[in-house]
Structures are given as structure tokens and as C-alpha cells.
């Protein structure tokens, strides 16, 4: 058992009564196998005070009242029945480390984190079960040189109980969550990252589903991230070689709401006063008012603000899409974002749309 303590951070206790390393040597590990693995995290009065100070007066509001248990639960425990991490290989990187040298980019096969699977995971908050997951896995974790090139992960058979984050004494907040069906929510998720060092193309995908509550899907694509060109830039002394060579290709984020916004506004009303319905009815006007000045920068912003306001008012789906005619270099994005932010929507072909 390993325990860490700090006056300004939560205490953490890690336990692995059955932990085995198989086939370890030369920078390779055949397997790490653990049964009945767990860790506990507990907040102290000092750590909560440090968090309030770090968040500032506005953020600290969320660390009091019914939202405190959600933002910073006093006690959190994660346990899993089994963990298998297989085929880890650092041998290529180790060889250069022993020479105390940074490997050149011609050395591509340096790191492979193998595969990982955790089964029957359980998260408890303040002693109450907040989530169970049948299986969480990483099916690939490959690197080209020191850059991740193939990462795939997914979660299956998850069940969430969001009432675990609220003390039983907060009866109104508990009722809000139960009325929204947030005491038993099934879900799943997956993530992937793929980078081709020869073509320079890279794609990121993320999907998360909370059945009958909300879902999120995000896709991003990049180009011009060729390893040989990045290597040449580094040889020429470029400190940000990826920034100077890579380019943004596209973005698509889609958020679908079924019950999440109802619950969010009802919980916020408990903190701010009034009812969730009244707060939600007033929010779109505040969004449009605050967005009016921004809209003067570029007419497109009016559509963006209206789409967000309609989504908050009516739910449904909100989709953010950016598809420039040609990939935009990262360096151009950085420069224009700092000096001419009003040109960014046109440069990226940015759209924000709402559908009921």
C-alpha cells in the first residue's frame, strides 16, 4: 500500500495486494497483472481551502452548497477487479537513455505501450457507488519516434449514479437528479488518435454517450505533420517544429441534449435562487446580450450566438463545424488568433448550428 499526503492536496492511498510483473527486462515488460486494485482520495479542510483560493471568488461559489459534492467530493474510491497491461516495450528508448542522448527522428520504433484492459471497475464517492464499468480497454498505444501515432481506447457497460455526488441532506438537489433519471444512467465511450508520419495526416475521434441524457461526438483532422519535415525543421533550430509545419484541416463537434440541460439549470437555481425553468428562460437573452459586442467583430458571430441561445432554450443538438477550403497552418492560426481574431471564422469556415 502506498499513501501520499499534503497539506494543500488530497491524500491518496493506493493498494494492490496482488500485483505481478511478467517477463520484465531490457526495457520490455510482458505483462503487468493486478487483482483487487484500488486507490482512495480524500479531501481535507486544508486542501479544500487551497482549491477555493486557486479557483478565486467566482469559482469558489461552486465549492459550497449543493454543487460542492460534484466539484470536489470529500472522499473518492476507485476499485477494479482486474487489470492486465501487456506487451510494453521501451527497449528502443532505453538504449538511447543509457547513452544519455536524445534519439534522432530516424529512430522510429522507440515506444509501444501495448494493450490494457480493466474489468469490473467501481467508483465510490463519499461511500456511495457513483459508477460501475464492465470493461475499459486500450487496444493500441503505439508511438512513432516520441509522438503518439496509434491510440485506441473504449469503455463498455458503464452505469452512473450522479446522486452519489450530493449529500443525502441536500434533499432538493437529490430530487432534481432523481427526477431527471440521473440516479441510473447507462453509457459508453471511445477515443482514437491516428497519425501517419509519411503522409502527415492525423485524426482524433471521441464519442461519449449517456443514454437518454446527452451525447458528445468530436472529430478533428490535421495535415502536413510529416515526420521528415518536422525533423528537418528541428535540425534547422526550430523550437516549435510541429507548429511551423502542421496545419488544421477540420473540426466537428456535436452535442445532443435530452435531459442534461434541465438538470443543470435546476441545480444552478438551487445555488442562485428561483426555479430551473425561470433561469433557463432568462439565459438565452443574457447569452444574446453578452454576444452582441462580439458580433460586431464579424457578422458570423450573430449566427453563433443565436445557435447557442436556441440550444440552451430548447435543447436538441448543437453542432460546431470548421472546414476551411484548404488546411490552415498552425502558425497562421496562432498569429491571426492573436492579432486579428475577427478573421478566424471566415478563415476556418466556422459554422454553429442548432437543431431541435
Amino acid at each position: 500500500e502506498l499513501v501520499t499526503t499534503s497539506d494543500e492536496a488530497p491524500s491518496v492511498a493506493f493498494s494492490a495486494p496482488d500485483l505481478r510483473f511478467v517477463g520484465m527486462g531490457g526495457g520490455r515488460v510482458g505483462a503487468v497483472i493486478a487483482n483487487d486494485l484500488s486507490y482512495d482520495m480524500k479531501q481535507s479542510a486544508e486542501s479544500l481551502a487551497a482549491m477555493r483560493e486557486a479557483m478565486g471568488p467566482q469559482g469558489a461559489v461552486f465549492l459550497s452548497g449543493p454543487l460542492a459534492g460534484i466539484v470536489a467530493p470529500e472522499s473518492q474510491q476507485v476499485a477494479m477487479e482486474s487489470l492486465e497491461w501487456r506487451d510494453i516495450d521501451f527497449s528502443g528508448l532505453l538504449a538511447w537513455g543509457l547513452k544519455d542522448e536524445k534519439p534522432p527522428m530516424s529512430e522510429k520504433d522507440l515506444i509501444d505501450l501495448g494493450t490494457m484492459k480493466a474489468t469490473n471497475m467501481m467508483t465510490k464517492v463519499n461511500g456511495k457507488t457513483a459508477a460501475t464499468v464492465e470493461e475499459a480497454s486500450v487496444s493500441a498505444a503505439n508511438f512513432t519516434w516520441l509522438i503518439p501515432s496509434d491510440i485506441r481506447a473504449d469503455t463498455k457497460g458503464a452505469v452512473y449514479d450522479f446522486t452519489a455526488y450530493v449529500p443525502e441532506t441536500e434533499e432538493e438537489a437529490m430530487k432534481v437528479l432523481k427526477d431527471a433519471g440521473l440516479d441510473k444512467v447507462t453509457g459508453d465511450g471511445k477515443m482514437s488518435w491516428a497519425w501517419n508520419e509519411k503522409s502527415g495526416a492525423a485524426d482524433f475521434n471521441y464519442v461519449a454517450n449517456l443514454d437518454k441524457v446527452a451525447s458528445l461526438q468530436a472529430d478533428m483532422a490535421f495535415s502536413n505533420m510529416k515526420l521528415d519535415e518536422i525533423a528537418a525543421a528541428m535540425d534547422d533550430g526550430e523550437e516549435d517544429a510541429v507548429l511551423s509545419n502542421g496545419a488544421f484541416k477540420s473540426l466537428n463537434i456535436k452535442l445532443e441534449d435530452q435531459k442534461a440541460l434541465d438538470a443543470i439549470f435546476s441545480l444552478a437555481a438551487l445555488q442562485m435562487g428561483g426555479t430551473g425553468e425561470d433561469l433557463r428562460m432568462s439565459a438565452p437573452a443574457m447569452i444574446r446580450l453578452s454576444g452582441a459586442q462580439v458580433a460586431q467583430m464579424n457578422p458570423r458571430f450573430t449566427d453563433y450566438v443565436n445557435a447557442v441561445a436556441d440550444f440552451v432554450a430548447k435543447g436538441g443538438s448543437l453542432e460546431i463545424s470548421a472546414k476551411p477550403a484548404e488546411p490552415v497552418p498552425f502558425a497562421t492560426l496562432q498569429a491571426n488568433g492573436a492579432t486579428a481574431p475577427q478573421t478566424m471564422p471566415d478563415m476556418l469556415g466556422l459554422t454553429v448550428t442548432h437543431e431541435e
Side-chain angles (χ1 to χ4, degrees):
E1 182 171 313
L2 175 66
V3 179
T4 64
T5 59
S6 170
D7 290 340
E8 296 186 353
S11 64
V12 178
F14 175 80
S15 176
D18 181 8
L19 176 62
R20 287 167 280 168
F21 295 85
V22 181
M24 185 168 62
R28 294 185 177 90
V29 182
V32 178
I33 299 174
N35 295 305
D36 300 322
L37 184 71
S38 68
Y39 73 85
D40 295 83
M41 182 177 69
K42 293 184 178 180
Q43 297 277 4
S44 64
E46 292 79 8
S47 66
L48 288 172
M51 187 178 295
R52 290 189 185 94
E53 184 177 353
M55 295 177 69
Q58 294 179 330
V61 170
F62 295 103
L63 292 178
S64 61
L67 297 181
I70 297 175
V71 177
E74 292 182 4
S75 171
Q76 186 168 341
Q77 179 189 52
V78 177
M80 61 190 75
E81 185 176 283
S82 68
L83 172 68
E84 296 182 3
W85 189 3
R86 298 185 179 275
D87 302 322
I88 307 162
D89 189 349
F90 286 95
S91 58
L93 183 61
L94 178 63
W96 288 92
L98 292 173
K99 294 188 291 185
D100 196 24
E101 296 179 15
K102 183 177 180 179
M105 285 189 169
S106 57
E107 295 290 331
K108 299 177 182 179
D109 191 14
L110 298 172
I111 304 172
D112 186 345
L113 296 183
T115 62
M116 185 187 301
K117 181 170 73 172
T119 58
N120 295 328
M121 300 174 65
M122 179 183 292
T123 299
K124 288 188 175 183
V125 173
N126 299 330
K128 185 176 179 180
T129 300
T132 58
V133 177
E134 290 181 4
E135 180 179 303
S137 62
V138 177
S139 56
N142 299 322
F143 286 65
T144 300
W145 186 59
L146 301 176
I147 301 175
S149 54
D150 184 12
I151 309 291
R152 282 167 278 154
D154 66 274
T155 302
K156 300 175 182 177
V159 181
Y160 304 95
D161 181 358
F162 292 97
T163 66
Y165 294 90
V166 178
E168 293 288 345
T169 53
E170 297 285 353
E171 296 180 2
E172 290 181 299
M174 193 71 71
K175 184 177 186 304
V176 167
L177 294 171
K178 289 182 177 180
D179 288 348
L182 294 179
D183 53 342
K184 188 176 181 180
V185 180
T186 57
D188 53 39
K190 59 182 179 180
M191 181 277 291
S192 68
W193 163 264
W195 169 57
N196 187 309
E197 51 101 0
K198 293 183 178 179
S199 70
D203 296 279
F204 172 79
N205 307 100
Y206 177 79
V207 177
N209 295 307
L210 293 176
D211 297 333
K212 299 179 181 180
V213 177
S215 65
L216 172 67
Q217 179 172 342
D219 302 290
M220 298 182 71
F222 309 95
S223 66
N224 299 348
M225 296 172 59
K226 296 179 181 180
L227 186 62
D228 57 353
E229 294 181 358
I230 294 173
M234 291 183 69
D235 290 341
D236 290 338
E238 285 277 358
E239 293 185 1
D240 297 312
V242 175
L243 179 64
S244 62
N245 286 273
F248 170 84
K249 188 176 180 182
S250 65
L251 165 72
N252 187 266
I253 299 174
K254 187 172 185 179
L255 176 62
E256 294 187 351
D257 169 73
Q258 290 176 278
K259 295 180 180 178
L261 285 173
D262 286 336
I264 289 170
F265 277 102
S266 294
L267 288 173
L270 295 179
Q271 192 85 21
M272 301 171 65
T275 67
E277 291 83 358
D278 291 342
L279 186 59
R280 188 169 183 178
M281 286 180 61
S282 64
M286 291 188 290
I287 292 171
R288 289 187 170 92
L289 181 62
S290 61
Q293 290 183 329
V294 180
Q296 296 177 9
M297 298 172 60
N298 187 309
R300 283 178 179 257
F301 281 112
T302 300
D303 294 334
Y304 305 159
V305 171
N306 287 335
V308 173
D310 289 341
F311 174 69
V312 169
K314 305 173 184 178
S317 68
L318 183 71
E319 187 167 4
I320 302 170
S321 178
K323 296 180 180 178
E326 297 290 338
V328 182
F330 295 151
T332 302
L333 286 176
Q334 186 181 49
N336 281 47
T339 61
Q342 72 278 5
T343 67
M344 298 293 285
D346 298 304
M347 177 186 296
L348 297 175
L350 182 66
T351 60
V352 182
T353 55
H354 167 255
E355 290 185 3
E356 292 188 45

